[in-house]
Amino acid sequence: MTPRVLIADDHPVYRDGLRMMLASTDQAEVVGIAADGEEAVAEAVRLRPQVVVMDLSMPRMDGVQATERIVATCPDTHVLVLTMHEDDESVFAAMLAGARGYLLKGAEQTEILRAIMAVASGEVIFGPALAGRVTRYFARLAVACPVREGPFPQLTVREREILDLLAAGLSNRMIAERLSLAPKTVRNNVSSVFAKLQVADRAQAIIQAREAGLGR
């Protein structure tokens, strides 16, 4: 399916050039444009695109703040940052805000299209110039802050995340929306959690999870 794209950039020449480039490929449908962060949020809420291609330096509201608001209000919309900023602070601020991809404006057409398709399908992607840096950053973080084994080590990270939301009282539908997952994926993970915890139902799983400190 052709992803529906909203372009948010305050430079009209770059914004219009990107719109025309995407339109010429027939691989992405540009459904709207925004010239600042506030407009990006409003248009994302109105149009519900699969992908917002987001610049970081914009008036009224920057791209990091806009990303955070879009992720919070439009769970089926994913943000791909496309910017000139390549410093670590900008990269990690955007990712912590919920962006699923980060490219530099020097990226070629094929790279931008590939990133849009990946983000639309729920993947996380970095441009080649940033991927190695991100990997090294988290490798250093792991050495400096070794992960302590938490409760339920038999669960995968995703299963523990879903159990935590179960313990917080969320339904399967709400969990699917919160994590941008298909309902079937959530159901399968919930069944796997029940099997690994050796519980018969949701109530028993919630009791175990809350006793372990989850769901707060």
Side-chain angles (χ1 to χ4, degrees):
M1 186 176 69
T2 303
R4 301 171 70 250
V5 177
L6 169 67
I7 299 172
D9 196 300
D10 65 327
H11 292 90
V13 173
Y14 189 86
R15 184 178 65 232
D16 293 341
L18 180 60
R19 178 179 56 80
M20 288 187 290
M21 182 274 285
L22 293 176
S24 70
T25 66
D26 291 327
Q27 296 183 49
E29 178 189 1
V30 179
V31 295
I33 58 174
D36 59 61
E38 287 190 5
E39 189 178 2
V41 175
E43 288 296 273
V45 171
R46 184 175 73 87
L47 298 169
R48 302 286 170 162
Q50 276 80 45
V51 179
V52 178
V53 179
M54 179 80 72
D55 191 15
L56 290 186
S57 296
M58 291 189 292
R60 296 210 293 170
M61 180 189 296
D62 65 35
V64 172
Q65 292 176 297
T67 295
E68 195 168 26
R69 293 198 184 183
I70 290 170
V71 169
T73 56
C74 307
D76 295 325
T77 297
H78 305 310
V79 176
L80 168 65
V81 171
L82 182 59
T83 182
M84 295 179 63
H85 299 283
E86 56 180 313
D87 58 286
D88 287 354
E89 184 178 354
S90 295
V91 174
F92 296 114
M95 302 312 290
L96 287 171
R100 286 183 173 267
Y102 200 109
L103 290 182
L104 300 179
K105 282 190 173 178
E108 296 181 355
Q109 173 180 314
T110 54
E111 188 179 349
I112 294 172
L113 279 170
R114 184 168 62 248
I116 288 173
M117 299 301 177
V119 169
S121 65
E123 298 177 34
V124 176
I125 188 166
F126 298 95
L130 300 172
R133 186 189 306 171
V134 172
T135 301
R136 289 191 296 272
Y137 173 84
F138 284 108
R140 291 196 303 270
L141 191 63
V143 172
C145 305
V147 177
R148 297 178 182 177
E149 186 175 278
F152 311 118
Q154 70 272 39
L155 302 182
T156 65
V157 172
R158 175 65 79 190
E159 288 168 349
R160 192 178 296 111
E161 187 176 21
I162 288 175
L163 178 59
D164 185 42
L165 295 175
L166 278 177
L170 275 67
S171 66
N172 284 8
R173 180 184 60 79
M174 295 167 68
I175 292 172
E177 292 176 354
R178 176 76 63 87
L179 300 180
S180 297
L181 296 174
K184 182 179 180 181
T185 300
V186 173
R187 288 196 301 271
N188 290 341
N189 275 276
V190 169
S191 296
S192 179
V193 168
F194 289 176
K196 290 181 179 180
L197 297 186
Q198 298 181 349
V199 297
D201 55 32
R202 195 182 199 89
Q204 292 180 9
I206 290 174
I207 290 171
Q208 285 198 30
R210 289 181 176 172
E211 287 178 347
L214 300 184
R216 297 178 179 175

